[in-house]
Amino acid sequence: SGVKENDAGYAFFNKVMENKLQREDLIEKEIRAAITENDTSKIYLEYQPQVDLKSNKITGFEALARMRTKKLGFVSPMEFIDVAEKKQLIVPLGNFILTQASEFIRDLTDKGFKDIKVAVNVSGIQLLRYDFTDTIMKIISDTGIEPSSLELEITESVLLGNYNMINEKLKNLRNHQIEIALDDFGTGYSSFARLIELNIDTLKIDRYFINNISIKDSGDIITGDIISMAHKLGLKVVAEGVEVPEQKNYLMGHHCDRMQGYLFSKPLSKEKALKMLFNQNK
Ligand code: C2E
Ligand code: MG
Ligand code: MG
Ligand code: MG
């Protein structure tokens, strides 16, 4: 009977794998369709405000990719970005996303919001491409935006094994006035020693540390230390995933520059993001 159980387990495992692969193929098809048909109803961006902690005003947004199709419903970015990376679609998808973000910036500028920055997440595979900087500069000039209104968010994992090459690229991007933020800081492999020479402008403290504020003593201690160390290195600091007033108060007390999180706003459609800017400037 042991054999039978194993057979059943194996068959079940196969079925799960089959479903997973079928779903990946479907997601792949939908990504391809969205890109080739330039269909921003299938893949589009939402914009989550980043707020200056001193003035309580929106200084920028993080663009977050969304996917929704008739066949699949809503697919999380974790899932479809992962599929795009696997199926070698992340470069065209990344360009589609960067173009949409740049068009949003164009829109903001046209409506008089000139100092607002929009941050776009880029995958390591995009950054590793030899022509990444050229591609970005082309999108910037095609949409007619200021490079300084674009910020790129990279994660620490991309630095693994490619540190010198990536750091050179970041330097080059910054020479073009594009700002760089290190996303999810504290969860990966970077040390403060590494940060000293890394060509970035901003550190985004991972939600994990923000979550622990006023829950665990260690959360309080570490988060404050990250902020002051980052400032000593000349970096700006953004706190991710701020959900409750206690966290905001703590961050203000520790001179964090900006916050992002549900406490202020969830990610918004571009129409709602614009409306929020208009309301704050009334
Ligand atoms: P991330 O770049 O760290 O983005 C922050 C995530 O935290 C977003 O999840 C956002 O919706 C969520 N978030 C914001 N505020 C709060 C809060 O107060 N509480 C909680 N619990 N969550 C909050 P989302 O949109 O599901 O994105 C997940 C991840 O997918 C992103 O993490 C990023 O790594 C990736 N991603 C999203 N869009 C893109 C993209 O265009 N390109 C690439 N390469 N990756 C993307
Ligand atoms: Mg991000
Ligand atoms: Mg993050
Ligand atoms: Mg993340």
Side-chain angles (χ1 to χ4, degrees):
S1 75
V3 172
K4 258 182 201 154
E5 269 166 40
N6 277 341
D7 280 353
Y10 191 67
F12 176 73
F13 174 76
N14 269 344
K15 191 70 202 156
V16 169
M17 274 310 287
E18 199 182 300
N19 287 341
K20 182 172 148 60
L21 294 179
Q22 270 171 8
R23 183 171 164 87
E24 283 179 359
D25 286 347
L26 254 175
I27 293 172
E28 176 187 4
K29 279 204 189 81
E30 296 286 17
I31 296 172
R32 276 187 205 283
I35 298 169
T36 49
E37 290 154 27
N38 196 13
D39 186 345
T40 55
S41 72
K42 278 198 176 113
I43 295 177
Y44 56 96
L45 294 173
E46 285 189 338
Y47 299 92
Q48 187 175 34
Q50 288 186 357
V51 179
D52 180 273
L53 277 165
K54 282 200 194 108
S55 65
N56 213 35
K57 286 208 161 183
I58 299 170
T59 57
F61 296 93
E62 178 177 17
L64 293 157
R66 299 290 178 249
M67 175 174 195
R68 181 184 306 224
T69 74
K70 280 209 188 77
K71 276 185 207 129
L72 292 162
F74 186 79
V75 183
S76 84
M78 297 288 235
E79 187 177 10
F80 76 79
I81 296 289
D82 189 61
V83 172
E85 286 181 347
K86 240 189 226 167
K87 308 278 187 179
Q88 289 171 329
L89 283 172
I90 192 67
V91 170
L93 176 63
N95 292 340
F96 187 48
I97 287 167
L98 278 161
T99 303
Q100 287 187 44
S102 298
E103 283 164 358
F104 178 64
I105 294 172
R106 172 80 264 160
D107 225 32
L108 292 177
T109 315
D110 288 348
K111 295 196 162 73
F113 303 110
K114 293 193 164 54
D115 299 323
I116 300 290
K117 268 194 208 306
V118 176
V120 179
N121 294 282
V122 295
S123 142
I125 298 168
Q126 289 173 270
L127 204 58
L128 285 168
R129 286 273 306 199
Y130 71 98
D131 59 353
F132 180 68
T133 310
D134 292 344
T135 305
I136 293 255
M137 293 316 290
K138 168 110 175 41
I139 292 172
I140 286 174
S141 79
D142 285 352
T143 44
I145 63 165
E146 291 296 327
S148 59
S149 53
L150 189 65
E151 184 174 306
L152 302 178
E153 291 193 8
I154 64 159
T155 53
E156 298 165 74
S157 59
V158 61
L159 298 166
L160 277 176
N162 307 297
Y163 186 83
N164 290 324
M165 192 264 266
I166 294 291
N167 208 21
E168 254 327 283
K169 234 176 229 191
L170 298 180
K171 185 173 163 188
N172 198 241
L173 287 161
R174 292 178 76 211
N175 285 339
H176 284 97
Q177 315 307 321
I178 297 167
E179 286 202 11
I180 309 292
L182 188 61
D183 204 357
D184 304 341
F185 181 76
T187 58
Y189 304 87
S190 284
S191 61
F192 275 111
R194 271 267 163 98
L195 278 186
I196 294 173
E197 46 179 30
L198 191 59
N199 295 306
I200 58 172
D201 302 279
T202 300
L203 205 66
K204 295 191 78 177
I205 305 178
D206 194 77
R207 187 162 77 227
Y208 172 81
F209 296 100
I210 310 306
N211 249 325
N212 282 341
I213 292 173
S214 28
I215 294 171
K216 282 189 190 165
D217 288 344
S218 62
D220 284 12
I221 296 164
I222 293 170
T223 309
D225 284 346
I226 294 175
I227 297 168
S228 61
M229 286 292 286
H231 282 158
K232 278 177 193 143
L233 297 174
L235 302 172
K236 292 173 275 187
V237 186
V238 180
E240 297 193 284
V242 179
E243 292 182 351
V244 294
E246 290 75 25
Q247 294 165 342
K248 182 185 177 184
N249 293 338
Y250 174 91
L251 293 163
M252 286 178 75
H254 287 80
H255 312 291
C256 183
D257 302 283
R258 283 179 274 156
M259 68 164 188
Q260 183 184 336
Y262 297 163
L263 176 66
F264 187 85
S265 170
K266 295 208 162 182
L268 305 166
S269 68
K270 56 177 189 263
E271 293 79 15
K272 283 191 177 150
L274 260 166
K275 201 176 264 176
M276 217 180 218
L277 280 179
F278 273 114
N279 286 335
Q280 99 170 356
N281 281 31
K282 260 190 204 154

